Amino acid sequence: MEKERLEKQIDFILEADKEKNIIRQTHLSENGRRENDAEHAWHMAIMVYLLKEYANEEIDVAKAMMMALIHDIVEIDAGDTYAYDPKGLETQKVREEQAAERIFGLLPDDQGEELKSLFQEFEASETPEARFVRAMDNFQPLLLNDSNDGRDWREHEIGKTQVMKRHTKTKLGSNIIWERAREIIEKHVRKGNIKDD
């Protein structure tokens, strides 16, 4: 029984490694290559720890860090959906729910249910941890884009309305992070990197 449990855990660990192959639209800081999902999740987990004092509500930091680490693992099956792709966003929820069933189903039942529940909690954004992790999920690519002088916004011809809409949930997790994000957005609107629509 213990051996079977360990084998399931190893299967999941190896499956999770595939997250390194999911390439996002966001480039690494200072005009590096495009980041992968695993790098995004790792970076978010560090941000959760370092910026926890700015959460609007008290959070369980370990839980929030784990949520950050697994929130995009479903993209192994579902693929990365670009934040500003309306067509992709229409099917994202269904694709990711199916992926969650398969990927978390590789684990022993107790751990599979725990991680799937954490993923669902993130998606619902109804707990302090989920709201703060969602803020980090929005703020992390914004910081990278800022470090690249708005490269990704320019390449995709993104407008201010789109960026502001994406950040509506940032404020729910952290007013202070939202204010900093707004400053960055406004700076890039002035520079012409984000279209003023």
Side-chain angles (χ1 to χ4, degrees):
M1 192 67 167
E2 188 176 282
K3 185 176 185 336
E4 181 184 331
R5 181 177 175 83
L6 177 59
E7 290 308 312
K8 286 182 173 183
Q9 291 164 328
I10 290 170
D11 286 346
F12 178 84
I13 289 166
L14 291 174
E15 189 68 17
D17 185 65
K18 294 176 183 175
E19 192 175 6
K20 297 173 188 172
N21 295 316
I22 308 302
I23 305 300
R24 295 169 47 82
Q25 293 296 319
T26 311
H27 287 80
L28 299 176
S29 60
E30 299 180 4
N31 293 302
R33 62 171 169 75
R34 286 166 52 195
E35 73 175 343
N36 66 49
D37 269 1
E39 291 165 330
H40 166 66
W42 160 83
H43 209 192
M44 278 177 58
I46 288 175
M47 290 171 64
V48 165
Y49 182 80
L50 293 176
L51 304 178
K52 61 185 180 277
E53 66 197 84
Y54 306 115
N56 288 344
E57 306 162 89
E58 195 72 31
I59 61 166
D60 177 332
V61 176
K63 177 183 177 183
M65 289 177 74
M66 191 62 192
M67 189 181 287
L69 288 170
I70 61 100
H71 82 287
D72 273 347
I73 206 163
V74 294
E75 293 184 0
I76 291 168
D77 286 359
D80 177 56
T81 303
Y82 184 46
Y84 304 112
D85 173 14
K87 191 166 179 125
L89 292 169
E90 286 175 11
T91 62
Q92 181 182 19
K93 185 173 174 60
V94 171
R95 287 183 286 117
E96 290 187 352
E97 285 173 357
Q98 290 171 344
E101 289 299 320
R102 186 194 74 78
I103 295 168
F104 296 126
L106 296 171
L107 281 163
D109 290 346
D110 61 322
Q111 289 181 323
E113 284 303 314
E114 178 187 357
L115 293 190
K116 186 169 70 172
S117 174
L118 209 53
F119 166 74
Q120 290 168 337
E121 182 178 333
F122 169 77
E123 288 296 308
S125 294
E126 293 174 351
T127 63
E129 290 80 14
R131 286 189 286 270
F132 189 64
V133 174
R134 180 71 68 178
M136 297 301 99
D137 192 31
N138 291 340
F139 195 48
Q140 188 266 352
L142 183 117
L143 288 177
L144 293 184
N145 218 350
D146 182 43
S147 81
N148 289 316
D149 196 33
R151 173 182 178 177
D152 298 316
W153 291 313
R154 281 194 318 273
E155 285 180 4
H156 293 280
E157 299 180 344
I158 301 303
K160 180 180 177 181
T161 304
Q162 292 170 285
V163 182
M164 295 298 270
K165 182 179 178 191
R166 171 150 173 80
H167 282 272
T168 53
K169 291 188 177 178
T170 301
K171 189 174 185 177
L172 300 176
S174 173
N175 291 321
I176 292 169
I177 297 298
W178 158 241
E179 285 303 321
R180 185 69 178 102
R182 195 174 56 74
E183 288 170 9
I184 292 169
I185 293 164
E186 294 294 348
K187 175 178 81 173
H188 286 279
V189 170
R190 287 192 304 273
K191 291 176 91 173
N193 296 326
I194 297 173
K195 294 187 297 184
D196 193 1
D197 51 5

